[in-house]
Amino acid sequence: MRSTFHSIETAKRALFTQQAAIQTTGQNIANANTVGYSRQTVNMQATRPIEAIGMTHSTIPGQLGTGVEFTSITRIRDSFLDNQYRNQSQDQGKWSVQADTLDKLEAIFNEPNDTGIRTLFDNYWKGWSDLAKDPENVTARKVLRENAIALTDSINLASKQLSDMNRDLTDNIGVKASQINTLVGNIANLNYEISKIAAYGDNPNDLMDQRDVLTDQLSKIVNITVTNTAQGYNINMGGTALVTGDQAITVDAAGLEGAFGTDLTSGELYGMLQSRDYYVKDYQKQLDTLANSLANGKFTVTVPAGSVLPDGITLDGKTYTGSDRTLKDPLTVTVNGVNELHRMGYPLSNPPTAGVDFFVSSDGGPITAANLKLNPVIAASPDAIATSMRTDGTPEQVVPGNNTLALLMANLKDTKISFSNPDGTTPLIASGTIDDFYRSLIGQLGVQSQDAQRQVDNQDSLLAQIDERRQSVSGVSLDEEMSDLIKYQHAYNAAARVMTTFDDMLDKIIAMVR
């Protein structure tokens, strides 16, 4: 004989189970826009059936169902898509930082532009050309002086901005190290909490979502591999274990810089180190080469016959004094940059004195982009600009209208120079004109920037595609949740109706007994 209350128990179990499903659906709807939230589902199964109750083995066929129960509430997650997302995220982080750095470098050089270094070089050469037309013209001398100052100021500014960028990247590396420590510490704590709850047989879905969000953030900063173990996520950066169960290591900027190229192979941090130690350093060095070569780069020049060299000057190992100073034939010599060429001529002052270095270092060291400046003597008086290579008379006087030196200076724009680094290392480009060198620098920057932006676009596309697939699995669809809500609601109402029906039946049985 069956239990009188059997059906009521079955209906009660159905009510509890459908109620749990409705609550879970409500949780999904509530977190439809929560970042990192994974859709949860109630897993139902029929409860263990029983045989019909009797004094002996029942002869009634089949077993009697006892209702339904939910065994777990699990989140919908695909670890394969998570791994794909993190692999693409680290590459996206790397390229986005590099592209951003190259964008800033392009902004520093700002070419082509009417106020860029290239235009200032053109103005500088034009200043010499105009002065060669009228060497005694005070306006032309002042214009050349101002053009030279503008050129050195612009090169100084670009060098300073590169140094600032280098410092900013170094500071950001320290900030990223702190972020890594925070993230791995929180992940280790979540590993502990998750394993503690899981030990009771529960599924800490929300905590696991939080851990995945933090892991995604970490994957953007450095390259990681994630292994899910009974103790939680084990996370490695190359061969370095960042998180092992509930334990996390502490990293610092120096250690991360030491791991560059070995354990650290991708992510924003890799992009910062690559940007600082390759891009910024390279362009800083090229700018130093440009400044030093302008002042001291070797080139060959032919001094016309009739020119009078300053007394005691040494060219190609020969010292010119006395009558040797007056050239009977054109003289082809190797000159060390604008500075030595300027020392071969005479300013307007008398008695004749050799020109001074045109460019000097502001700190006394080798000339670089940071310390290049116009000689203060010339800055104080444009008359100190040497334009003449002729003297005559007794006592000796400068021929003021002579423009030999000014013409040689103006022709330097198209003269090949042997480039030289201020630190004595070999430059990437051996020789060429100053304009060629600067154009190659800008061209290199443009190609690198274009390539980095292309990589960013590709990674953005891949990352969005994978994230879309991941959302199609784990994300909350409000349409689907509403459909489930109606389904569970109908099941709940039906179970309630079953209970009401048996309640009515019991009332009749009790009334019959009375």
Side-chain angles (χ1 to χ4, degrees):
M1 179 180 181
R2 297 181 180 89
S3 169
T4 304
F5 300 99
H6 175 85
S7 296
I8 291 180
E9 178 65 20
T10 301
K12 185 196 74 176
R13 289 177 177 175
L15 286 173
F16 287 167
T17 301
Q18 302 307 324
Q19 186 179 34
I22 290 172
Q23 289 173 340
T24 302
T25 303
Q27 169 76 354
N28 289 340
I29 293 173
N31 288 282
N33 296 319
T34 302
V35 175
Y37 179 80
S38 301
R39 181 166 60 93
Q40 298 179 9
T41 183
V42 175
N43 299 309
M44 303 179 190
Q45 72 174 19
T47 53
R48 185 182 180 86
I50 60 173
E51 291 186 358
I53 299 173
M55 297 297 293
T56 59
H57 186 274
S58 173
T59 57
I60 299 175
Q63 292 183 314
L64 192 60
T66 59
V68 65
E69 63 181 358
F70 64 95
T71 56
S72 62
I73 301 175
T74 55
R75 62 178 191 153
I76 308 300
R77 198 85 185 185
D78 189 332
S79 59
F80 174 74
L81 291 176
D82 283 340
N83 288 333
Q84 280 196 320
Y85 179 87
R86 288 161 190 158
N87 288 337
Q88 297 303 325
S89 178
Q90 61 196 29
D91 288 339
Q92 195 274 343
K94 176 182 71 175
W95 283 111
S96 63
V97 169
Q98 293 184 55
D100 182 63
T101 300
L102 290 165
D103 278 347
K104 291 176 181 174
L105 287 172
E106 285 189 312
I108 289 175
F109 288 102
N110 196 24
E111 298 288 357
N113 189 284
D114 290 341
T115 59
I117 292 176
R118 184 177 177 183
T119 300
L120 295 175
F121 262 118
D122 288 341
N123 292 341
Y124 170 74
W125 299 124
K126 186 175 184 298
W128 277 112
S129 180
D130 291 343
L131 185 59
K133 296 174 184 173
D134 187 1
E136 295 180 89
N137 188 301
V138 176
T139 301
R141 287 179 173 272
K142 287 186 176 180
V143 168
L144 173 59
R145 179 187 65 178
E146 296 306 318
N147 285 340
I149 291 174
L151 175 63
T152 55
D153 285 349
S154 183
I155 293 176
N156 294 158
L157 178 61
S159 178
K160 180 181 180 301
Q161 289 173 324
L162 289 173
S163 298
D164 290 344
M165 184 180 291
N166 187 304
R167 185 169 55 253
D168 290 344
L169 286 168
T170 300
D171 291 343
N172 282 338
I173 290 169
V175 171
K176 287 299 176 184
S178 298
Q179 287 184 6
I180 291 173
N181 289 331
T182 301
L183 288 172
V184 298
N186 289 337
I187 292 172
N189 290 336
L190 285 169
N191 274 344
Y192 172 74
E193 294 180 27
I194 289 169
S195 60
K196 188 170 66 173
I197 295 173
Y200 293 104
D202 295 328
N203 294 319
N205 296 319
D206 295 329
L207 293 180
M208 289 192 286
D209 282 345
Q210 291 178 26
R211 183 177 62 181
D212 281 322
V213 169
L214 297 178
T215 305
D216 288 349
Q217 293 175 2
L218 183 62
S219 72
K220 190 175 179 64
I221 300 174
V222 294
N223 53 292
I224 58 172
T225 54
V226 182
T227 306
N228 195 7
T229 69
Q231 289 73 40
Y233 280 175
N234 289 344
I235 300 177
N236 289 358
M237 181 188 72
T240 303
L242 299 176
V243 179
T244 305
D246 58 358
Q247 301 296 318
I249 69 166
T250 301
V251 299
D252 56 29
L256 291 169
E257 290 184 31
F260 179 66
T262 53
D263 288 339
L264 178 60
T265 57
S266 193
E268 290 179 333
L269 200 52
Y270 179 91
M272 288 178 183
L273 288 166
Q274 177 80 355
S275 297
R276 186 193 66 178
D277 297 341
Y278 178 70
Y279 293 126
V280 177
K281 184 178 180 180
D282 178 53
Y283 286 106
Q284 179 77 68
K285 190 168 186 176
Q286 290 194 54
L287 207 55
D288 287 343
T289 302
L290 181 71
N292 189 58
S293 300
L294 174 65
N296 300 312
K298 292 181 183 296
F299 60 90
T300 301
V301 65
T302 300
V303 182
S307 298
V308 181
L309 298 175
D311 187 36
I313 192 169
T314 300
L315 299 173
D316 284 345
K318 179 181 178 181
T319 301
Y320 293 83
T321 58
S323 60
D324 289 343
R325 292 173 53 208
T326 303
L327 302 180
K328 296 180 176 58
D329 298 306
L331 174 66
T332 300
V333 293
T334 300
V335 176
N336 293 319
V338 169
N339 282 350
E340 186 166 28
L341 182 59
H342 196 257
R343 293 198 300 269
M344 293 167 62
Y346 305 96
L348 294 178
S349 60
N350 283 304
T353 55
V356 297
D357 285 344
F358 197 82
F359 295 111
V360 296
S361 163
S362 60
D363 56 12
I367 290 180
T368 64
N371 62 26
L372 177 72
K373 64 178 291 189
L374 181 66
N375 193 317
V377 175
I378 299 174
S381 172
D383 287 343
I385 298 175
T387 53
S388 174
M389 297 188 78
R390 295 289 182 93
T391 62
D392 61 8
T394 303
E396 187 177 3
Q397 299 286 314
V398 176
V399 177
N402 181 262
N403 65 354
T404 303
L405 184 63
L407 281 174
L408 292 176
M409 284 287 192
N411 290 336
L412 276 182
K413 180 180 181 182
D414 300 317
T415 302
K416 283 191 176 183
I417 293 177
S418 296
F419 299 114
S420 60
N421 290 333
D423 58 4
T425 58
T426 304
L428 294 175
I429 301 176
S431 65
T433 66
I434 291 291
D435 286 356
D436 285 344
F437 187 92
Y438 188 68
R439 274 199 297 269
S440 71
L441 183 152
I442 298 302
Q444 175 188 341
L445 177 58
V447 172
Q448 287 176 338
S449 180
Q450 188 178 34
D451 181 60
Q453 191 56 54
R454 181 178 58 81
Q455 294 284 1
V456 170
D457 292 341
N458 289 343
Q459 290 304 133
D460 284 346
S461 177
L462 285 171
L463 199 62
Q465 185 179 10
I466 295 171
D467 190 48
E468 186 177 347
R469 291 174 59 192
R470 195 164 68 160
Q471 287 300 316
S472 70
V473 175
S474 303
V476 175
S477 166
L478 290 177
D479 291 339
E480 187 176 346
E481 296 302 324
M482 290 305 296
S483 174
D484 287 345
L485 186 63
I486 294 171
K487 180 176 66 177
Y488 298 139
Q489 182 188 20
H490 285 174
Y492 184 89
N493 291 340
R497 180 61 183 166
V498 170
M499 179 169 283
T500 303
T501 300
F502 276 95
D503 182 56
D504 292 343
M505 291 171 61
L506 286 174
D507 283 346
K508 289 181 179 179
I509 292 173
I510 293 171
M512 289 173 62
V513 173
R514 289 177 181 171

